[in-house]
PDB file of all heavy atoms in Angstrom:
ATOM      1  N   LYS D 179     -17.969  21.524   2.490  1.00  0.00           N
ATOM      2  CA  LYS D 179     -18.670  21.226   3.817  1.00  0.00           C
ATOM      3  C   LYS D 179     -19.268  22.498   4.372  1.00  0.00           C
ATOM      4  O   LYS D 179     -20.409  22.534   4.889  1.00  0.00           O
ATOM      5  CB  LYS D 179     -17.705  20.585   4.761  1.00  0.00           C
ATOM      6  CG  LYS D 179     -17.373  19.125   4.470  1.00  0.00           C
ATOM      7  CD  LYS D 179     -16.514  18.504   5.494  1.00  0.00           C
ATOM      8  CE  LYS D 179     -16.370  17.024   5.167  1.00  0.00           C
ATOM      9  NZ  LYS D 179     -16.207  16.196   6.276  1.00  0.00           N
ATOM     10  N   LYS D 180     -18.532  23.638   4.286  1.00  0.00           N
ATOM     11  CA  LYS D 180     -19.031  24.909   4.790  1.00  0.00           C
ATOM     12  C   LYS D 180     -20.282  25.323   3.991  1.00  0.00           C
ATOM     13  O   LYS D 180     -21.260  25.750   4.683  1.00  0.00           O
ATOM     14  CB  LYS D 180     -17.899  25.934   4.679  1.00  0.00           C
ATOM     15  CG  LYS D 180     -18.209  27.199   5.512  1.00  0.00           C
ATOM     16  CD  LYS D 180     -17.174  28.342   5.233  1.00  0.00           C
ATOM     17  CE  LYS D 180     -15.755  27.958   5.605  1.00  0.00           C
ATOM     18  NZ  LYS D 180     -14.781  29.010   5.385  1.00  0.00           N
ATOM     19  N   ALA D 181     -20.300  25.184   2.721  1.00  0.00           N
ATOM     20  CA  ALA D 181     -21.376  25.531   1.869  1.00  0.00           C
ATOM     21  C   ALA D 181     -22.642  24.653   2.250  1.00  0.00           C
ATOM     22  O   ALA D 181     -23.742  25.178   2.305  1.00  0.00           O
ATOM     23  CB  ALA D 181     -21.095  25.396   0.423  1.00  0.00           C
ATOM     24  N   GLN D 182     -22.412  23.395   2.526  1.00  0.00           N
ATOM     25  CA  GLN D 182     -23.503  22.483   2.895  1.00  0.00           C
ATOM     26  C   GLN D 182     -24.128  22.903   4.218  1.00  0.00           C
ATOM     27  O   GLN D 182     -25.368  22.973   4.387  1.00  0.00           O
ATOM     28  CB  GLN D 182     -23.098  21.075   3.027  1.00  0.00           C
ATOM     29  CG  GLN D 182     -22.551  20.494   1.652  1.00  0.00           C
ATOM     30  CD  GLN D 182     -23.676  20.517   0.593  1.00  0.00           C
ATOM     31  OE1 GLN D 182     -24.708  20.035   0.750  1.00  0.00           O
ATOM     32  NE2 GLN D 182     -23.271  21.210  -0.490  1.00  0.00           N
ATOM     33  N   LYS D 183     -23.232  23.269   5.144  1.00  0.00           N
ATOM     34  CA  LYS D 183     -23.696  23.676   6.526  1.00  0.00           C
ATOM     35  C   LYS D 183     -24.510  24.990   6.386  1.00  0.00           C
ATOM     36  O   LYS D 183     -25.523  25.152   7.007  1.00  0.00           O
ATOM     37  CB  LYS D 183     -22.477  23.901   7.415  1.00  0.00           C
ATOM     38  CG  LYS D 183     -22.787  23.819   8.872  1.00  0.00           C
ATOM     39  CD  LYS D 183     -21.537  23.986   9.727  1.00  0.00           C
ATOM     40  CE  LYS D 183     -20.936  22.637  10.029  1.00  0.00           C
ATOM     41  NZ  LYS D 183     -19.830  22.679  10.922  1.00  0.00           N
ATOM     42  N   ALA D 184     -23.987  25.952   5.590  1.00  0.00           N
ATOM     43  CA  ALA D 184     -24.691  27.217   5.416  1.00  0.00           C
ATOM     44  C   ALA D 184     -26.057  27.038   4.773  1.00  0.00           C
ATOM     45  O   ALA D 184     -27.101  27.663   5.119  1.00  0.00           O
ATOM     46  CB  ALA D 184     -23.819  28.170   4.587  1.00  0.00           C
ATOM     47  N   ALA D 185     -26.122  26.173   3.741  1.00  0.00           N
ATOM     48  CA  ALA D 185     -27.420  25.833   3.099  1.00  0.00           C
ATOM     49  C   ALA D 185     -28.369  25.228   4.028  1.00  0.00           C
ATOM     50  O   ALA D 185     -29.529  25.571   3.983  1.00  0.00           O
ATOM     51  CB  ALA D 185     -27.182  24.955   1.911  1.00  0.00           C
ATOM     52  N   LYS D 186     -27.935  24.336   4.852  1.00  0.00           N
ATOM     53  CA  LYS D 186     -28.784  23.659   5.860  1.00  0.00           C
ATOM     54  C   LYS D 186     -29.317  24.685   6.868  1.00  0.00           C
ATOM     55  O   LYS D 186     -30.479  24.716   7.204  1.00  0.00           O
ATOM     56  CB  LYS D 186     -27.962  22.563   6.570  1.00  0.00           C
ATOM     57  CG  LYS D 186     -28.812  21.674   7.489  1.00  0.00           C
ATOM     58  CD  LYS D 186     -28.019  20.600   8.083  1.00  0.00           C
ATOM     59  CE  LYS D 186     -28.794  19.774   9.010  1.00  0.00           C
ATOM     60  NZ  LYS D 186     -27.950  18.656   9.599  1.00  0.00           N
ATOM     61  N   LYS D 187     -28.476  25.606   7.352  1.00  0.00           N
ATOM     62  CA  LYS D 187     -28.846  26.624   8.281  1.00  0.00           C
ATOM     63  C   LYS D 187     -29.877  27.567   7.641  1.00  0.00           C
ATOM     64  O   LYS D 187     -30.856  27.907   8.278  1.00  0.00           O
ATOM     65  CB  LYS D 187     -27.641  27.389   8.785  1.00  0.00           C
ATOM     66  CG  LYS D 187     -27.939  28.398   9.845  1.00  0.00           C
ATOM     67  CD  LYS D 187     -26.741  29.131  10.354  1.00  0.00           C
ATOM     68  CE  LYS D 187     -26.960  30.126  11.446  1.00  0.00           C
ATOM     69  NZ  LYS D 187     -28.249  30.661  11.644  1.00  0.00           N
ATOM     70  N   ASP D 188     -29.563  27.921   6.392  1.00  0.00           N
ATOM     71  CA  ASP D 188     -30.467  28.801   5.675  1.00  0.00           C
ATOM     72  C   ASP D 188     -31.864  28.226   5.525  1.00  0.00           C
ATOM     73  O   ASP D 188     -32.908  28.877   5.716  1.00  0.00           O
ATOM     74  CB  ASP D 188     -29.891  29.157   4.314  1.00  0.00           C
ATOM     75  CG  ASP D 188     -30.700  30.141   3.528  1.00  0.00           C
ATOM     76  OD1 ASP D 188     -31.060  31.197   4.128  1.00  0.00           O
ATOM     77  OD2 ASP D 188     -31.033  29.915   2.344  1.00  0.00           O
ATOM     78  N   LYS D 189     -31.871  26.891   5.269  1.00  0.00           N
ATOM     79  CA  LYS D 189     -33.177  26.160   5.161  1.00  0.00           C
ATOM     80  C   LYS D 189     -33.919  26.180   6.467  1.00  0.00           C
ATOM     81  O   LYS D 189     -35.162  26.335   6.520  1.00  0.00           O
ATOM     82  CB  LYS D 189     -32.913  24.794   4.627  1.00  0.00           C
ATOM     83  CG  LYS D 189     -34.136  24.015   4.207  1.00  0.00           C
ATOM     84  CD  LYS D 189     -33.761  22.702   3.682  1.00  0.00           C
ATOM     85  CE  LYS D 189     -34.984  21.921   3.231  1.00  0.00           C
ATOM     86  NZ  LYS D 189     -34.664  20.566   2.734  1.00  0.00           N
ATOM     87  N   GLN D 190     -33.188  25.954   7.500  1.00  0.00           N
ATOM     88  CA  GLN D 190     -33.809  25.867   8.911  1.00  0.00           C
ATOM     89  C   GLN D 190     -34.322  27.284   9.289  1.00  0.00           C
ATOM     90  O   GLN D 190     -35.304  27.380   9.963  1.00  0.00           O
ATOM     91  CB  GLN D 190     -32.767  25.416   9.962  1.00  0.00           C
ATOM     92  CG  GLN D 190     -32.447  23.942   9.765  1.00  0.00           C
ATOM     93  CD  GLN D 190     -31.294  23.538  10.662  1.00  0.00           C
ATOM     94  OE1 GLN D 190     -30.532  24.339  11.208  1.00  0.00           O
ATOM     95  NE2 GLN D 190     -31.131  22.277  10.919  1.00  0.00           N
ATOM     96  N   ASP D 191     -33.622  28.313   8.920  1.00  0.00           N
ATOM     97  CA  ASP D 191     -33.966  29.690   9.273  1.00  0.00           C
ATOM     98  C   ASP D 191     -35.169  30.247   8.496  1.00  0.00           C
ATOM     99  O   ASP D 191     -35.776  31.237   8.883  1.00  0.00           O
ATOM    100  CB  ASP D 191     -32.785  30.637   9.129  1.00  0.00           C
ATOM    101  CG  ASP D 191     -31.708  30.329  10.178  1.00  0.00           C
ATOM    102  OD1 ASP D 191     -31.947  29.635  11.131  1.00  0.00           O
ATOM    103  OD2 ASP D 191     -30.544  30.830   9.987  1.00  0.00           O
ATOM    104  N   ARG D 192     -35.393  29.647   7.347  1.00  0.00           N
ATOM    105  CA  ARG D 192     -36.486  30.178   6.452  1.00  0.00           C
ATOM    106  C   ARG D 192     -37.919  29.914   7.104  1.00  0.00           C
ATOM    107  O   ARG D 192     -38.128  28.859   7.555  1.00  0.00           O
ATOM    108  CB  ARG D 192     -36.368  29.410   5.109  1.00  0.00           C
ATOM    109  CG  ARG D 192     -36.854  30.292   3.955  1.00  0.00           C
ATOM    110  CD  ARG D 192     -36.606  29.615   2.627  1.00  0.00           C
ATOM    111  NE  ARG D 192     -35.215  29.459   2.350  1.00  0.00           N
ATOM    112  CZ  ARG D 192     -34.647  28.415   1.747  1.00  0.00           C
ATOM    113  NH1 ARG D 192     -35.397  27.407   1.318  1.00  0.00           N
ATOM    114  NH2 ARG D 192     -33.379  28.340   1.511  1.00  0.00           N
ATOM    115  N   PRO D 193     -38.704  30.984   7.102  1.00  0.00           N
ATOM    116  CA  PRO D 193     -39.980  30.839   7.708  1.00  0.00           C
ATOM    117  C   PRO D 193     -40.835  29.818   6.894  1.00  0.00           C
ATOM    118  O   PRO D 193     -40.759  29.795   5.657  1.00  0.00           O
ATOM    119  CB  PRO D 193     -40.602  32.186   7.729  1.00  0.00           C
ATOM    120  CG  PRO D 193     -39.773  32.991   6.787  1.00  0.00           C
ATOM    121  CD  PRO D 193     -38.436  32.304   6.692  1.00  0.00           C
ATOM    122  N   THR D 194     -41.602  29.047   7.582  1.00  0.00           N
ATOM    123  CA  THR D 194     -42.514  28.126   6.913  1.00  0.00           C
ATOM    124  C   THR D 194     -43.914  28.697   6.937  1.00  0.00           C
ATOM    125  O   THR D 194     -44.252  29.484   7.787  1.00  0.00           O
ATOM    126  CB  THR D 194     -42.570  26.722   7.601  1.00  0.00           C
ATOM    127  OG1 THR D 194     -42.954  26.959   8.905  1.00  0.00           O
ATOM    128  CG2 THR D 194     -41.180  26.033   7.527  1.00  0.00           C
ATOM    129  N   GLY D 195     -44.705  28.348   5.895  1.00  0.00           N
ATOM    130  CA  GLY D 195     -46.016  28.890   6.089  1.00  0.00           C
ATOM    131  C   GLY D 195     -46.814  29.088   4.932  1.00  0.00           C
ATOM    132  O   GLY D 195     -47.808  29.496   4.793  1.00  0.00           O
TER     133      GLY D 195
END
Side-chain angles (χ1 to χ4, degrees):
K179 287 185 176 212
K180 196 187 296 183
Q182 296 303 304
K183 202 179 269 187
K186 187 177 179 180
K187 184 178 180 343
D188 184 49
K189 189 176 179 182
Q190 289 171 342
D191 291 345
R192 209 173 295 143
T194 57

